[in-house]
């Protein structure tokens, strides 16, 4: 359950008249009927063509044409993207490891982990060889070349960034971990695909409160660089980006047993004594953002706060994320 605490955040319908048709000969009546039908057919065809065109991919294939390669349906009937590998950076971290396992549990075929230490990966991720043959890439997120190796084959189409720096790090390292590593990761993904970027997706775990001009001093420069990472991702030319901004993340909070809430600009916690969300819930929301299909006509770039309150566990995560879209 969500806990009460003082954690700071790291959130042609026409009505029928009933009048009878005026008296007319049979030919006139037939012409009226066929004329009306022609208009209806024309409107329907125009609508269908417009809808299809509005849902076209860049390669000219209609998104409405769903096949097994492009879409999988879960038990609730919601479409989920199935093609392309997913790379999780920060995969042995407290949130990243949960996200890695959540994606595996959801049946994602190719889940890759970018880690600093193979032994820690063996402990947290359950790998055996813990090398590239098992999708485990050892490297440093602050070194561009290491990230490029993990994505150079062009198989990775979705990048989930779960890297986080401690405020106890020196200021230059806070920047490298929170900002530079995000730039390097997205750059490596984009470069691996050249001009064919229409299927790329990046999910970033940031923090609630980055919009505050005066964050608590114990955060150091972390919040500043997180906000810069959000701004960069929003302008990175990646066609599909999701920025998840959780509130407080207490270590002892059980997951998947609270009601999740989303919003913008820190407003979802106003007047509430509940300022926390579990890492397991954050991982589940990120996994949903990785795998969910996009509805035609809806924004493919999202940025929202995530928190929780006591109540029934939220199970429809796609609807939760959809509810975070701006009204327009």
């Amino acid at each position: 359950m969500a806990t009460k605490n003082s954690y700071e955040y790291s959130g042609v319908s026409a009505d029928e008249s009933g009048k009878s048709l005026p008296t007319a000969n049979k030919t006139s009546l037939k012409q009226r009927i066929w004329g009306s039908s022609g208009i209806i057919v024309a409107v329907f065809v125009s609508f269908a063509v417009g809808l299809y065109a509005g849902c076209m991919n860049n390669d000219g294939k209609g998104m409405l044409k769903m096949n097994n390669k492009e879409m999988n349906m879960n038990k609730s009937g919601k479409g989920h993207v199935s093609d392309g590998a997913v790379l999780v950076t920060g995969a042995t971290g407290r949130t990243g490891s949960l996200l890695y396992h959540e994606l595996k549990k959801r049946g994602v075929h190719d889940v890759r982990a970018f880690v600093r230490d193979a032994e820690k990966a063996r402990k947290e991720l359950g790998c055996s060889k813990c090398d590239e043959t098992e999708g485990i890439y050892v490297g440093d997120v602050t070194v561009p070349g290491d990230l490029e190796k993990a994505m150079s084959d062009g198989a990775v189409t979705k990048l989930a960034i779960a890297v986080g720096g401690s405020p106890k790090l020196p200021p230059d390292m806070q920047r490298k971990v929170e900002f530079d590593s995000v730039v390097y990761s997205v750059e490596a993904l984009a470069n691996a695909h050249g001009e064919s970027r229409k299927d790329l997706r990046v999910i970033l775990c940031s923090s609630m409160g980055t919009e505050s001009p005066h964050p608590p001093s114990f955060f150091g420069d972390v919040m500043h660089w997180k906000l810069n990472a959000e701004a960069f991702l929003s302008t990175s030319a990646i066609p599909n980006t999701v920025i998840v901004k959780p509130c407080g993340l207490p270590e002892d909070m059980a997951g998947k047993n609270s009601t999740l809430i989303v919003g913008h600009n820190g407003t979802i916690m106003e007047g509430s004594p509940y300022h926390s969300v579990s890492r397991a819930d954050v991982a589940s929301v990120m996994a949903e953002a990785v795998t969910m299909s996009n509805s035609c006509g809806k924004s493919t770039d999202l940025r929202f706060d995530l928190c929780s309150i006591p109540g029934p566990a939220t199970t429809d995560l796609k609807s939760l994320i959809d509810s975070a879209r701006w009204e327009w």
Side-chain angles (χ1 to χ4, degrees):
M1 300 292 290
T3 55
K4 204 175 190 180
N5 56 60
S6 59
Y7 280 86
E8 294 289 341
Y9 22 85
S10 51
V12 167
S13 76
D15 44 351
E16 306 203 2
S17 64
K19 296 180 180 179
S20 59
L21 288 170
T23 303
N25 58 41
K26 292 182 179 181
T27 302
S28 175
L29 180 58
K30 184 182 295 185
Q31 289 174 340
R32 289 171 182 263
I33 293 173
W34 280 104
S36 299
S37 300
I39 293 172
I40 293 171
V41 170
V43 170
F44 176 81
V45 170
S46 176
F47 172 80
V49 170
L51 179 61
Y52 182 82
C55 295
M56 293 282 278
N57 289 323
N58 292 341
D59 61 359
K61 295 178 180 178
M63 289 170 60
L64 296 179
K65 185 178 180 180
M66 301 176 184
N67 54 40
N68 291 333
K69 180 179 178 182
E70 294 180 353
M71 301 285 291
N72 280 339
M73 303 303 288
N74 63 12
K75 292 181 180 179
S76 63
K78 295 181 175 64
H80 280 67
V81 177
S82 61
D83 54 337
V86 180
L87 178 67
V88 180
T89 62
T92 56
R94 291 169 293 179
T95 302
S97 59
L98 294 171
L99 173 57
Y100 177 87
H101 289 297
E102 181 69 22
L103 290 168
K104 287 279 192 180
K105 187 174 73 174
R106 285 169 173 252
V108 177
H109 175 66
D110 189 353
V111 183
R112 302 182 182 187
F114 192 89
V115 304
R116 288 187 299 172
D117 186 283
E119 286 304 314
K120 188 175 181 182
R122 182 172 286 107
K123 176 184 176 182
E124 299 294 338
L125 307 181
C127 53
S128 178
K129 295 180 180 180
C130 299
D131 60 15
E132 295 179 14
T133 64
E134 294 183 318
I136 307 298
Y137 292 81
V138 180
D140 186 336
V141 291
T142 68
V143 178
D146 289 355
L147 289 158
E148 290 169 3
K149 291 178 183 178
M151 293 181 265
S152 60
D153 62 356
V156 174
T157 58
K158 300 166 192 69
L159 172 66
I161 303 173
V163 174
S166 168
K168 296 179 181 180
L169 290 172
D172 63 323
M173 283 304 298
Q174 291 180 35
R175 171 185 171 134
K176 288 181 179 179
V177 174
E178 293 288 357
F179 176 65
D180 292 343
S181 72
V182 174
V183 175
Y184 298 152
S185 300
V186 174
E187 183 179 22
L189 176 66
N191 287 341
H193 292 270
E195 297 298 320
S196 302
R197 301 175 187 169
K198 63 181 179 60
D199 295 323
L200 302 187
R201 180 178 300 187
V202 177
I203 290 81
L204 170 66
C205 182
S206 184
S207 174
M208 216 171 139
T210 57
E211 70 280 352
S212 173
H214 304 293
S217 59
F218 58 76
F219 280 128
D221 294 333
V222 166
M223 302 298 263
H224 168 76
W225 292 119
K226 282 184 180 292
L227 179 60
N228 275 270
E230 294 175 17
F232 160 74
L233 184 57
S234 299
T235 59
S236 64
I238 298 299
N240 190 320
T241 62
V242 180
I243 300 170
V244 182
K245 297 161 61 69
C247 56
L249 296 168
E251 295 306 316
D252 58 349
M253 186 174 181
K256 303 184 179 182
N257 64 352
S258 300
T259 299
L260 302 181
I261 55 175
V262 295
H264 300 93
N265 304 322
T267 58
I268 58 175
M269 295 198 317
E270 290 180 353
S272 172
Y274 302 102
H275 303 160
S276 58
V277 64
S278 73
R279 291 184 184 275
D281 283 322
V282 174
S284 294
V285 170
M286 290 184 69
E288 183 68 26
V290 168
T291 59
M292 68 185 283
S293 61
N294 285 318
S295 301
C296 179
K298 292 186 177 180
S299 171
T300 56
D301 298 296
L302 299 173
R303 175 178 180 260
F304 58 87
D305 299 333
L306 174 67
C307 208
S308 67
I309 57 175
T314 301
T315 57
D316 188 351
L317 298 178
K318 184 177 187 302
S319 293
L320 176 77
I321 294 174
D322 279 338
S323 71
R325 301 178 191 276
W326 293 106
E327 292 180 1
W328 57 88

